[in-house]
Structures are given as C-alpha cells and as structure tokens.
C-alpha cells in the first residue's frame, strides 16, 4: 500500500501550525503581554489555527493528487525531522503550564497601574518619622504574634521634586512605640506625590510566583513527562502522526481549539457569568486530551 503524497504546501502549513503554536506557548510562559488583552499570544494562536486549516486543505489536495494516475509518484522519507519528537514530547506539558499561567494572568487595570507605578519609581524605601500624629495603640499579640504597637505617624517623604510630610495611619512597630527620628519602611513613588504612602504596598505578580513554582517543582515533572513522550515517539509513530488522517487529527484539532476558546475570555478580560477563570483552568486539559486521542486512534 503506497503512502499518501505530501506536497510542499502540506509541509509548509504543518510546520507553520507547529511554530505558531510553539510561539503562542512561549509567549504565554515568557509573559510577552503582561496583562489582558494578550495580543501577542492571541495573534500567534490565531495564526496556528489558520495554518492548521491550511494543513487540512493541503493534505486533502495531496491525497487527491496521489490518486491521480497522471501525477508523478512521490516517495516519502523514513527519516522524520529530529526536532519533531521534542516538540511532541515537551509540547504537551509546557502547553499545559502555559494555559495555567494564562488562567492566572493579572487584570488589565492592575497591570496598567503597576506599569504606571514602576515608571514613577514605586518601591519600598526607608523614611524618617517627624512626629506622632496619634497615641500608640498597644496590641497584646498571642503565642504566634509578639506584642506590637499601631501608631499614626507623620513621615518625611523625600520626593524628587522636594520632601513632604505625609501622615500614615496605623504604622506597625514591635515591642515599643516609635519616637521622632525613627526609621520606617514604606512604599511610595518618588516621582509621583499623588500615589498613596502605605506600609504594606507590595504588588504581587502571580506569574512570577508560578514561574518560581515551575523552577522548583514543575520543571522536573515536565522533563519526566516530556522525556517519556519523546521516547515513545518512534520514527513509525511520527510518520503516522504527521500524515494527516481525518479521524485522528480533526478531533485532536477540535480539542485544542476548544481549549484555546476557553482561554479567550481571560485573554480578552471578558466576563462569562463570572466563570472566565474556571473556564481557563479547564483549558489546561486540552493538550493532554488531544495527545491521548492521537495515541489511542493513531
């Protein structure tokens, strides 16, 4: 039984689909777009969908030409690209983690405010107490928390356009109340006096937390899963995988498209009856389900 012919268009669109999909995954992990709308990620994912459609069309045409008795015979190589096993093996776990990161991307308002504060030099600085603006309130604490004081303090904030005195309520001190001249740590923006001065103003970035979590716990799992899938992908398996077959690839593409569609509300910051983030989390299952379908039916 002869193999279906593979045209240059089939190969081009197939690799375009893979490279665009890889680009979307890398952009999600790397954080190219820091907050919605995730323009770069959506463009690359959309390009992958277009290339997938082109791959399907080109594959059908290639099969039709192979059945034409007047067409030139085509012999397919038995040496698949050595990069393909790595794309298949590590693509599934990394794509799953990319979807997980996208599900927990920060809101656009939080992202824009964080960018504005970063431009204004926002961060934690040590400033001096000018005077007490209220009586210290003693807090007993317990077996886990030592006794402390909460005091309204007037602080001298050295803004770039000149120092100002700002009163901050409820400043925390351990063991004893503060006195004028005490150094306190506060968050403020030196180039923007309109930004509030706060004691606890650290701005969290869930993406950085998850990337750190990735480095400690997830990378070993990704390496183990990716290595196992790569070892499974023999030359014979790769030929079956890259040669388009409707009953194998169309359902797999449908699963991946469904996963991508579940990410769109979060990527565009659209509310879907309050379920945008849970839907995005469901998309994490799409890469593994698509691969399981291909392995089972292929």
């Amino acid at each position: 039984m002869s193999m279906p012919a593979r045209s240059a268009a089939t190969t081009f669109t197939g690799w375009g689909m893979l490279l665009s999909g890889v680009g979307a995954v890398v952009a999600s992990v790397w954080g190219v777009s820091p907050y919605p709308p995730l323009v770069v990620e959506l463009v690359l994912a959309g390009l992958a969908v277009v290339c997938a459609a082109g791959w399907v069309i080109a594959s059908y045409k290639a099969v039709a030409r192979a059945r034409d008795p007047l067409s030139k015979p085509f012999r397919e190589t038995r040496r698949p690209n050595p990069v393909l096993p790595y794309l298949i093996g590590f693509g599934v776990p990394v794509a799953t983690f990319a979807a997980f990161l996208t599900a927990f991307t920060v809101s656009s308002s939080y992202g824009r405010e964080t960018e504005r504060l970063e431009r204004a030099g926002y961060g934690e600085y040590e400033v001096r107490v000018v005077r007490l603006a209220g009586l210290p309130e003693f807090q007993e604490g317990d077996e886990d928390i030592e006794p402390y004081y909460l005091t309204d303090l007037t602080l001298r904030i050295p803004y770039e356009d000149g120092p100002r005195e700002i009163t901050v309520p409820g400043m925390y001190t351990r063991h004893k109340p503060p006195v004028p001249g005490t150094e306190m740590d506060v968050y403020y923006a030196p180039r923007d006096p309109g930004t509030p001065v706060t004691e606890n103003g650290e701005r969290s970035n869930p993406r950085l937390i998850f990337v750190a979590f990735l480095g400690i716990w997830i990378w070993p799992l990704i390496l183990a899963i990716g290595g196992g899938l790569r070892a499974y992908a023999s030359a014979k398996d790769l030929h079956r995988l890259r040669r388009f077959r409707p009953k194998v690839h169309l359902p797999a593409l449908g699963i991946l498209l469904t996963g991508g569609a579940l990410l769109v509300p979060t990527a565009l910051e659209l509310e879907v009856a309050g379920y945008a983030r849970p839907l995005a989390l469901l998309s994490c299952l799409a890469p593994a389900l698509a691969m399981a379908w291909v392995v089972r039916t292929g």
Side-chain angles (χ1 to χ4, degrees):
M1 180 178 177
S2 61
M3 295 181 181
R6 291 180 56 83
S7 66
T10 308
T11 302
F12 176 80
T13 54
W15 277 106
M17 174 183 63
L18 283 174
L19 293 177
S20 300
V22 169
V25 169
V26 172
S28 296
V29 174
W30 193 259
V32 175
S33 301
Y35 51 82
L38 305 181
V39 178
V40 176
E41 291 86 342
L42 288 175
V43 168
L44 289 171
L47 185 59
V49 173
V50 172
C51 289
W55 180 55
V56 172
I57 295 171
S59 296
Y60 273 118
K61 290 184 176 180
V63 172
R65 281 194 297 272
R67 293 172 178 172
D68 186 353
L70 300 179
S71 65
K72 184 179 179 179
F74 183 88
R75 183 177 180 82
E76 187 175 18
T77 176
R78 297 301 297 173
R79 295 180 180 179
N81 193 302
V83 177
L84 198 56
Y86 293 93
L87 286 176
I88 295 171
F90 293 96
V92 173
V94 175
T96 301
F97 185 74
F100 192 71
L101 282 178
T102 304
F104 284 94
T105 189
V106 298
S107 67
S108 59
S109 58
Y110 186 92
R112 284 193 295 266
E113 179 66 8
T114 299
E115 282 190 345
R116 184 189 71 79
L117 291 174
E118 287 176 350
R119 289 193 298 269
Y122 183 82
E124 187 178 23
Y125 300 91
E126 193 175 70
V127 298
R128 189 177 299 275
V129 176
V130 178
R131 59 182 175 274
L132 275 65
L135 295 176
E137 297 181 4
F138 178 72
Q139 308 292 322
E140 288 287 351
D142 52 34
E143 59 182 14
D144 297 322
I145 302 176
E146 296 182 357
Y148 61 95
Y149 288 86
L150 295 178
T151 313
D152 297 345
L153 299 176
T154 299
L155 308 174
R156 184 177 179 83
I157 310 297
Y159 291 106
E160 288 190 359
D161 62 353
R164 302 187 186 190
E165 293 185 359
I166 304 292
T167 298
V168 180
M171 295 287 290
Y172 167 90
T173 53
R174 295 172 58 188
H175 304 308
K176 60 182 181 179
V179 296
T182 302
E183 299 288 342
M184 305 291 293
D185 292 327
V186 295
Y187 287 85
Y188 74 96
R191 293 187 288 275
D192 184 9
T195 300
V197 177
T198 61
E199 184 176 19
N200 299 307
E202 184 177 3
R203 300 183 72 81
S204 62
N205 188 337
R207 181 178 293 273
L208 294 179
I209 295 173
F210 286 126
V211 169
F213 183 71
L214 169 73
I216 298 173
W217 298 105
I218 303 300
W219 270 124
L221 182 61
I222 287 178
L223 291 175
I225 295 174
L229 291 175
R230 179 194 169 280
Y232 174 81
S234 64
K236 183 178 179 181
D237 295 324
L238 290 176
H239 274 294
R240 289 204 308 266
L241 180 61
R242 70 180 185 173
R243 192 185 312 124
F244 176 75
R245 287 174 294 166
K247 71 173 185 177
V248 175
H249 292 97
L250 290 182
L253 289 173
I255 293 171
L256 292 175
L257 289 176
T258 301
L262 293 176
L263 283 172
V264 169
T266 297
L268 296 179
E269 204 170 41
L270 302 173
E271 284 300 323
V272 184
Y275 292 102
R277 211 168 290 278
L279 289 175
L281 286 174
L282 284 176
S283 70
C284 298
L285 302 174
L289 290 176
M291 177 57 67
W293 174 265
V294 169
V295 170
R296 181 178 177 82
T297 59

